[in-house]
Amino acid sequence: MMKQTTIGSMLLGAFIAFSFLSCATMDTDRGAAKEIGSMKYEKENRTRADVEEELPAVRKAFGNAPDIDENRRAYAKKLFELGNVWQAKEVITPLATPKTDNLSDLELGAKLALLTMDLDNAEMLYKRLIEISEKDSEFYNKAVKGLQLVYFQSNDYTKIRDITLSESEKEGTLHFDSFLKKFEDEPYVIEWTSADKTGHMPFLNDITEPGVLPIMKVTVNGHPFEFLLDTGGANLYIDYSLVEKVGVKTIQKTRNQYAYTNGEYVDEILGSVETVELEGVTIKNVPVHVGQLRSRGQDIDGIVTTQFLKQFLSTIDYENNEITLRERSKSGKAQFLESMEGRNMVEIPFFMTHLHLMFAKGSINGHDNLNMFMDSGLASAQEAIITNETADLLGLKKEEISGTRYYTAPVDSVAL
């Protein structure tokens, strides 16, 4: 199993630096000679270093002749492989339109729209891809899966019932597909109980301690529990032992494996709860993921995750030791900006892949443009975790941590 390298220290959570974008897909025929613009290469097991080396020639070809579709297409693909999703989206847009018959352009354009939460455009392009691709083909199934994610991210589950994967593709996504199609009514119905439309989850512990994860009170179907904050999860997570007490409505049973189960598969449930109450706000018809936490040594009742927080403008308030939830609206944003008046503030854009994985761009030791997976759930005093490939790319000197699968490596700087 690949060892990972840990570096540095910071107060809350961590991020993981990847030399390669986790959702990027390389050409499947890696061993064959390929042509990008006027450049040819032949190499197996390509890494980020290889793609960074290939980029200048592709960029130059595009700069010299941007009207040649193949140059534009090749440049957009290369940018995507490096995780430069916003730039890649800009480059491919003239080719990825509802009028094109090019399946690759549509698939890349739709994928980039989805990554950047341009959901209306993603829906339009995926529908076009479904329309012109052969049913049950690779492009058709990619379009169906992409459209499912569009409707998942927009909380419009009812539209998922109208699209169907081929039988050969269902197995890997059966639980997700079935769960969304069986889910009744609109998810995440928000009712503000405070006049200023803000909700609060005070932390029950001191989050400024190194390696500490925030714990907060969350009331589910009238029962108060202690939940952990972890942006590395999708739907609200509840411990299996609480199913009957809470009255979780079971929609779909599933099996999954995790790091904390040492790779062992465990039985889980995808379902819903009627209400989740916080200070100042009640959320109704909430999708939940029921998992085995306490039986696996996790001393918590559940986890507040990305999809739950995504319904709000969420702010971790270190001074008041709480997380504040505001309405996702112009007025909510104005309220947030007013609360930040007089403070230094930096906007860091991120893109989201699959159900909840958030990536921002950053640098280590001055090497820019790395893809950082933003995960607040890493209970570590370390500032970051990086893969071996990234350590090799940066030329870091690794020292093995005895008795573990990990190394440490000193670095001069980490930035977002």
Side-chain angles (χ1 to χ4, degrees):
M1 184 175 291
M2 178 184 294
K3 291 199 174 186
Q4 292 181 320
T5 307
T6 62
I7 56 178
S9 64
M10 94 182 202
L11 294 180
L12 174 64
F15 53 81
I16 300 176
F18 289 97
S19 294
F20 229 85
L21 176 62
S22 68
C23 66
T25 54
M26 298 297 297
D27 294 323
T28 54
D29 185 15
R30 295 188 180 186
K34 309 174 186 66
E35 184 171 345
I36 299 181
S38 60
M39 181 187 68
K40 292 184 179 180
Y41 60 91
E42 184 174 358
K43 184 178 176 66
E44 293 183 354
N45 302 319
R46 294 165 62 231
T47 66
R48 181 181 188 91
D50 297 320
V51 183
E52 287 184 351
E53 184 178 348
E54 296 159 5
L55 181 64
V58 180
R59 181 171 53 212
K60 182 178 180 180
F62 172 72
N64 290 338
D67 294 335
I68 297 178
D69 288 352
E70 187 53 41
N71 288 344
R72 178 177 293 276
R73 186 173 294 121
Y75 187 38
K77 288 181 179 179
K78 197 63 57 184
L79 291 169
F80 169 70
E81 289 177 351
L82 290 171
N84 299 359
V85 297
W86 297 278
Q87 189 179 1
K89 181 183 175 185
E90 181 180 350
V91 172
I92 199 63
T93 292
L95 301 181
T97 73
K99 296 181 180 181
T100 186
D101 291 329
N102 188 293
L103 301 178
S104 296
D105 291 344
L106 280 170
E107 198 269 331
L108 180 57
K111 185 185 301 180
L112 290 166
L114 175 58
L115 288 171
T116 56
M117 289 293 117
D118 182 2
L119 298 181
D120 289 341
N121 195 37
E123 179 183 19
M124 177 179 62
L125 295 177
Y126 277 129
K127 281 185 172 180
R128 172 61 176 167
L129 187 56
I130 289 174
E131 177 187 349
I132 67 172
S133 59
E134 184 178 347
K135 190 166 184 179
D136 297 345
S137 66
E138 181 180 1
F139 280 111
Y140 178 89
N141 286 317
K142 283 182 177 180
V144 171
K145 290 178 181 179
L147 203 53
Q148 284 182 330
L149 288 173
V150 168
Y151 296 143
F152 175 77
Q153 297 296 1
S154 59
N155 294 339
D156 199 351
Y157 297 179
T158 56
K159 289 184 178 179
I160 293 176
R161 297 169 190 163
D162 299 328
I163 54 176
T164 305
L165 284 167
S166 67
E167 292 299 323
S168 61
E169 289 291 321
K170 277 185 178 180
E171 185 175 351
T173 58
L174 178 60
H175 299 144
F176 175 67
D177 179 73
S178 179
F179 167 67
L180 295 179
K181 288 181 177 178
K182 293 177 183 178
F183 196 95
E184 296 180 355
D185 302 321
E186 179 185 355
Y188 301 110
V189 178
I190 298 171
E191 293 184 356
W192 296 101
T193 54
S194 62
D196 60 354
K197 291 189 175 181
T198 60
H200 303 277
M201 289 188 286
F203 296 138
L204 305 178
N205 55 339
D206 182 3
I207 66 171
T208 62
E209 291 291 328
V212 168
L213 299 180
I215 297 175
M216 66 215 76
K217 175 185 172 182
V218 178
T219 301
V220 181
N221 284 356
H223 299 278
F225 300 107
E226 292 186 359
F227 276 41
L228 195 74
L229 175 65
D230 181 1
T231 61
N235 289 338
L236 193 73
Y237 215 84
I238 295 178
D239 185 59
Y240 216 105
S241 64
L242 304 177
V243 170
E244 292 187 9
K245 180 177 182 179
V246 170
V248 173
K249 179 181 179 181
T250 299
I251 297 176
Q252 177 70 48
K253 293 186 177 181
T254 180
R255 285 175 59 81
N256 294 293
Q257 58 182 156
Y258 302 95
Y260 75 88
T261 66
N262 293 319
E264 181 183 344
Y265 278 91
V266 291
D267 293 324
E268 297 186 321
I269 292 172
L270 300 175
S272 66
V273 294
E274 292 182 8
T275 61
V276 175
E277 299 173 69
L278 314 171
E279 181 185 325
V281 62
T282 297
I283 307 94
K284 295 184 175 181
N285 202 24
V286 180
V288 295
H289 190 142
V290 179
Q292 299 185 19
L293 297 172
R294 290 192 175 277
S295 63
R296 296 284 168 168
Q298 308 295 311
D299 190 23
I300 50 174
D301 298 316
I303 302 173
V304 174
T305 55
T306 296
Q307 281 301 322
F308 183 83
L309 294 177
K310 186 173 72 70
Q311 312 307 315
F312 308 93
L313 295 178
S314 307
T315 310
I316 293 179
D317 187 338
Y318 282 84
E319 291 181 359
N320 294 310
N321 206 52
E322 68 177 10
I323 183 167
T324 299
L325 308 179
R326 294 182 174 87
E327 186 179 44
R328 283 191 66 171
S329 63
K330 290 183 178 180
S331 60
K333 184 175 182 180
Q335 187 186 63
F336 164 71
L337 293 174
E338 183 180 352
S339 73
M340 294 296 292
E341 189 173 352
R343 302 188 184 190
N344 292 327
M345 184 170 64
V346 177
E347 292 189 23
I348 303 175
F350 67 88
F351 58 91
M352 187 154 65
T353 179
H354 200 46
L355 305 183
H356 65 285
L357 305 178
M358 296 183 291
F359 284 83
K361 306 300 287 188
S363 67
I364 298 176
N365 283 3
H367 191 107
D368 295 328
N369 202 35
L370 296 176
N371 303 299
M372 307 294 197
F373 170 36
M374 310 303 294
D375 182 359
S376 71
L378 183 64
S380 171
Q382 302 301 326
E383 188 171 67
I385 290 180
I386 63 176
T387 63
N388 268 335
E389 183 183 298
T390 307
D392 294 340
L393 175 71
L394 302 174
L396 300 182
K397 183 179 179 180
K398 299 180 291 186
E399 295 184 9
E400 188 168 353
I401 302 176
S402 179
T404 73
R405 297 183 291 111
Y406 302 98
Y407 302 97
T408 59
V411 299
D412 297 324
S413 66
V414 178
L416 287 175

